[in-house]
Amino acid sequence: MFPLPDVKKQVSWRTWGYRWRSSDTFILSSMSMALFTDEMLFAFMVPLLPYIFENRLGLDTSLTQRLTSIFLVEGALISIVSSPFIGNIADRASSKKTLLLVLLVLTLISVLCLSITTSLAWLFIGRFFQCIVSNALFIVGMATMAENIGSEHMGKIAGLTSTLTSAGTCSGPVIAGFLFGTGGYWTAWAGAALFLVVDIIMRLLMIEKQQKRRDTACRDLNGSPCAEENRHSSETEPLLGGDMSSATEEIGGWRFYVCLFRQPRFMAGIVCYFVFALFIASFESTIAMRVRYAFDWGVFPIGLLFASIQGPGMILAPLVGSLKDRVGSRVPTTIGFISLAPFLWVLGVAGDERFPWATLGNRGKIIYGVCTTMIGCFMCFLMGVGTMEATRTVDELEDLYPGIFGPYGGYSRAVAVTNMSWMSGLLVGPILAGFMVERFGYLELQCVLAVTSLLASVNAALNLSSASPQKEECDSDFGTDEP
């Protein structure tokens, strides 16, 4: 028989710039730009909303705050509801590049529609579609990085994503305010459109890698297959729902989610991600009022406090992500939750008259500032835990049962679930914080958060992964009878 030609070499020879266009660096740069732009645009409208409501829509000034809150809550609710549908569609797409390109074009259209609207109803309709497309960009972008870079590097990817998310969220209002102040309303929107045009160009240049992982069975450390091609159905029933005729039968719909939620590490990652978002939302909804009441601080000190919480993550997240790729997420996440608990409690004590040692002179202010900084540092250990556990759970199941999630895998649906848990935490956080502060007090809220952190540390220690996939035997987490 004649040897088959090397298709990859032919493609690289015929395609201009194949080497750098399909490189990990360019793919990561393209996805990083997309995620940054996505987060930047999500927060871009915040400083423009008063002008839009009062000048373009002609509404009364007294309605601005209420409409702004509704506008922001709409985004979180839409993200939660739309995530499973987006994940299902994304996992059925043969080319993530094409899907990303379509989403970016739709984002550009939604931005243009939002900029020209003069109707309140159409403003919220435009926001509805923008939120769906933005949520899809995040889910598909994370799945694309996991598929092309490899889930074994998910710690570094999650760390980079956390940095980009923080940078985009922080820079969005700044860029919008600067452009609005410099050139006016249309200049601000032109800047947003320019970011999207650059994104579209990078997506056109990007070349996806061939995915070989789904076509090969998992192999153990000695190179031999760790799962037989045909397993008895009784071995897969407890894991995959009990109604499959063979281990290679594709599962979809609600059975996909049942399969994932039966994995302890996946459930633990989802819970940890929810608690992490709960903490952030609680801080954002209470810190400003707390320090204004306890220390009589103004806007600038409050801004510094928020920077002390978000700043460490932008610097330390990639380093923590590299650590998690080497040792797994169990130890770092457990340490993070345990370390947060005492600082959460002290945060409530600072400025509380029931604790004179924490209120004398400027002591309360110093203690509060130190606590927010330390909380920002230790929260870095929580970043990316949901996404890491989700993608690695999908990898383990697909390695054991090749083709179980279809020809294009289950990354997007798994990431969609983690996104739902994150957005749920952002919704529950302000509700819990508002209820606790109004009914009991700020210290009591911080005590609840501290206890929650300790409980989350137990969950992480018992259920999260303790080593990277390359160092684990494939069958160890699934209760098989093989040695």
Side-chain angles (χ1 to χ4, degrees):
M1 296 179 63
F2 294 100
L4 294 175
D6 192 333
V7 178
K8 184 175 181 181
K9 287 183 178 180
Q10 290 183 1
V11 172
S12 62
W13 180 75
R14 294 178 181 177
T15 305
W16 170 77
Y18 178 87
R19 185 181 299 275
W20 65 267
R21 291 170 62 187
S22 62
S23 66
D24 290 352
T25 301
F26 187 75
I27 292 174
L28 199 58
S29 299
S30 299
M31 293 300 99
S32 297
M33 183 65 182
L35 292 176
F36 172 81
T37 303
D38 176 46
E39 294 298 329
M40 187 270 293
L41 290 177
F42 206 75
F44 186 84
M45 290 190 65
V46 174
L48 301 180
L49 286 177
Y51 178 85
I52 293 174
F53 287 137
E54 297 166 15
N55 295 83
R56 291 188 58 80
L57 303 185
L59 300 176
D60 189 81
T61 306
S62 61
L63 298 174
T64 300
Q65 180 59 58
R66 183 187 307 171
L67 290 174
T68 299
S69 299
I70 296 174
F71 190 85
L72 297 176
V73 169
E74 180 186 11
L77 288 173
I78 292 173
S79 296
I80 294 174
V81 175
S82 64
S83 287
F85 301 100
I86 293 170
N88 187 60
I89 294 172
D91 276 338
R92 294 180 180 274
S94 59
S95 173
K96 295 290 193 296
K97 172 185 173 179
T98 303
L99 183 57
L100 283 167
L101 188 60
V102 172
L103 290 172
L104 285 170
V105 173
L106 290 176
T107 302
L108 182 59
I109 294 173
S110 68
V111 165
L112 293 175
C113 293
L114 284 171
S115 65
I116 64 176
T117 184
T118 55
S119 165
L120 182 63
W122 281 108
L123 179 70
F124 281 99
I125 292 173
R127 178 65 168 179
F128 174 83
F129 287 106
Q130 184 204 21
C131 290
I132 291 179
V133 175
S134 174
N135 193 33
L137 273 174
F138 179 83
I139 292 171
V140 178
M142 291 296 294
T144 301
M145 286 193 287
E147 290 178 354
N148 287 272
I149 308 300
S151 66
E152 66 272 15
H153 301 294
M154 205 61 206
K156 291 186 282 290
I157 292 174
L160 176 63
T161 302
S162 299
T163 300
L164 293 170
T165 300
S166 300
T169 303
C170 294
S171 64
V174 175
I175 294 174
F178 173 76
L179 293 176
F180 182 82
T182 302
Y185 179 78
W186 294 110
T187 301
W189 284 110
L194 180 61
F195 275 95
L196 287 169
V197 170
V198 173
D199 263 337
I200 291 172
I201 293 173
M202 295 184 72
R203 214 68 61 249
L204 287 171
L205 291 173
M206 188 185 80
I207 297 177
E208 289 181 292
K209 295 181 179 180
Q210 294 180 349
Q211 299 173 29
K212 297 180 180 180
R213 178 179 56 80
R214 308 197 196 288
D215 300 327
T216 58
C218 172
R219 296 181 178 275
D220 62 20
L221 299 178
N222 296 322
S224 59
C226 65
E228 297 178 3
E229 292 184 359
N230 298 313
R231 288 179 177 266
H232 194 272
S233 61
S234 62
E235 296 181 11
T236 63
E237 286 180 359
L239 178 64
L240 304 172
D243 55 349
M244 295 186 60
S245 58
S246 68
T248 57
E249 179 185 345
E250 179 182 349
I251 62 173
W254 62 269
R255 294 173 63 221
F256 170 86
Y257 300 102
V258 171
C259 176
L260 283 187
F261 279 108
R262 290 190 177 195
Q263 313 309 315
R265 65 184 298 179
F266 179 82
M267 277 294 298
I270 293 299
V271 171
C272 289
Y273 220 37
F274 171 83
V275 174
F276 182 21
L278 180 75
F279 288 170
I280 291 180
S282 298
F283 297 149
E284 290 180 347
S285 61
T286 58
I287 282 181
M289 293 299 296
R290 172 60 177 174
V291 298
R292 184 183 302 173
Y293 170 79
F295 310 127
D296 196 27
W297 280 353
V299 175
F300 181 69
I302 292 173
L304 291 179
L305 286 178
F306 282 110
S308 69
I309 293 177
Q310 294 186 355
M314 298 178 66
I315 300 172
L316 299 177
L319 300 176
V320 175
S322 299
L323 174 66
K324 288 185 175 183
D325 281 337
R326 292 195 300 270
V327 303
S329 57
R330 175 184 296 174
V331 174
T333 305
T334 302
I335 292 175
F337 277 122
I338 292 177
S339 302
L340 280 174
F343 289 105
L344 290 170
W345 178 77
V346 176
L347 197 69
V349 169
D352 194 308
E353 296 180 355
R354 289 172 288 181
F355 301 87
W357 59 269
T359 58
L360 295 176
N362 291 324
R363 191 179 298 175
K365 300 177 181 179
I366 296 173
I367 292 174
Y368 201 92
V370 170
C371 283
T372 56
T373 304
M374 296 305 297
I375 287 172
C377 292
F378 284 115
M379 280 203 304
C380 295
F381 290 93
L382 312 181
M383 290 180 173
V385 59
T387 309
M388 284 183 63
E389 296 304 316
T391 55
R392 289 180 176 177
T393 299
V394 170
D395 274 347
E396 288 188 349
L397 289 171
E398 287 183 334
D399 286 339
L400 271 177
Y401 312 103
I404 196 66
F405 296 141
Y408 307 116
Y411 279 148
S412 297
R413 284 171 287 178
V415 172
V417 176
T418 66
N419 192 50
M420 290 178 65
S421 70
W422 176 263
M423 299 307 297
S424 298
L426 294 182
L427 274 181
V428 173
I431 298 173
L432 172 66
F435 172 78
M436 289 297 301
V437 171
E438 291 180 8
R439 185 66 61 90
F440 302 101
Y442 186 75
L443 174 60
E444 286 73 13
L445 166 65
Q446 296 306 121
C447 289
V448 170
L449 295 181
V451 173
T452 303
S453 189
L454 292 175
L455 293 175
S457 71
V458 175
N459 169 57
L462 294 178
N463 297 310
L464 293 183
S465 59
S466 58
S468 61
Q470 298 94 324
K471 297 180 181 179
E472 292 179 336
E473 291 193 14
C474 297
D475 293 333
S476 60
D477 290 340
F478 296 91
T480 61
D481 297 330
E482 298 175 6

